Amino acid sequence: MKQAIETDPDETGGAPPRRRALFAAVAAGAVLVGAGLAWRRHALRDGVDDAVQALWRLDFDTPSGGKLQMSALRGRPLLLNFWATWCPPCVEELPMLDAFYRERSPAGWQVLGLAVDQVAPVTSFLSRYPVGFPVAMAGTAGVALSKSLGNLSGGLPFSVVLGREGTVLHRKIGKITPDDLRAWGSLG
C-alpha cells in the first residue's frame, strides 16, 4: 500500500504551485489593468490638452446674433458650462451659475454657457430667465466639443473649469452643487 506524502507549504517555498500560479496571474492582470488605466489617462489628458488649445481658437454665435470669440476669454479663470433648455438639471443649475458669476466676476472669474440647443428655444428661455453671464450657441456640435474636453458620455450638463493659463483644472458631468462652486472658486 502506498502512502500519500503530504508536504508542508513551507518546504516547497510557500504556497503550492497552483496557488502560486494563480497569484502570479492575478498580479499580472493587476499590472496590466493599472498600465492600461495610466495609458488611458495620459492619452485622454493629451487629447483634452489639444482640444483646449483648439477651443481658444473657436468663435460662437450668440442668441442675439452676435459673435463670441473664445480668445477674448483667455487669461482669466473660466467656468464653461454645456447646457440645453430641454435638460432639467441644466435649467436647475443656471441660477447657481449666475450667482457664482455675479459673486466671482469682480475677482476675475468668467462664466460661459454653451447651449447645446437651437437659437429660438434659448432666446425664449433667456427672455424669461435672464442670466448675467454670456451664453453662446454650440448647437449639436457642442456634444462633440464637450466629448473632446473629457465628457466621454456626452451627457448634460457638463462643466469645465479652465485656469488663467487656459488649462483644464476640473471637469464635472451632471448638475453642479454649491460645494462644487465653492471648491472651484478657490482654483482661480
Side-chain angles (χ1 to χ4, degrees):
M1 207 191 244
K2 286 190 177 180
Q3 237 180 348
I5 301 174
E6 291 187 31
T7 59
D8 183 8
D10 291 333
E11 292 176 17
T12 61
R18 267 177 84 181
R19 190 174 289 168
R20 278 193 304 248
L22 180 61
F23 288 147
V26 169
V31 167
L32 288 174
V33 167
L37 289 173
W39 175 83
R40 185 169 182 239
R41 281 189 184 140
H42 180 70
L44 178 61
R45 185 177 59 237
D46 287 349
V48 169
D49 290 345
D50 293 344
V52 169
Q53 292 310 311
L55 172 72
W56 295 116
R57 294 188 295 272
L58 296 176
D59 62 340
F60 296 97
D61 292 331
T62 64
S64 62
K67 288 280 186 193
L68 183 139
Q69 295 181 336
M70 288 300 299
S71 61
L73 302 176
R74 197 164 190 169
R76 296 186 305 161
L78 172 65
L79 173 50
L80 181 61
N81 179 260
F82 291 84
W83 71 286
T85 59
W86 46 262
C87 165
C90 299
V91 171
E92 290 170 13
E93 72 182 10
L94 284 176
M96 283 188 289
L97 290 168
D98 195 42
F100 177 85
Y101 174 73
R102 293 176 193 282
E103 185 179 300
R104 301 286 183 161
S105 63
W109 270 94
Q110 305 169 98
V111 174
L112 173 61
L114 281 181
V116 181
D117 211 326
Q118 296 178 359
V119 174
V122 171
T123 303
S124 175
F125 179 87
L126 292 174
S127 69
R128 290 177 297 172
Y129 307 102
V131 294
F133 58 87
V135 172
M137 302 303 303
T140 56
V143 173
L145 177 59
S146 76
K147 283 183 175 184
S148 75
L149 294 172
N151 180 5
L152 300 180
S153 70
L156 293 177
F158 177 63
S159 297
V160 181
V161 178
L162 299 157
R164 294 178 193 283
E165 317 77 36
T167 58
V168 174
L169 301 178
H170 194 51
R171 291 185 289 271
K172 179 170 183 174
I173 181 76
K175 186 178 166 185
I176 59 169
T177 66
D179 288 340
D180 293 328
L181 293 173
R182 274 191 291 280
W184 296 345
S186 68
L187 295 176

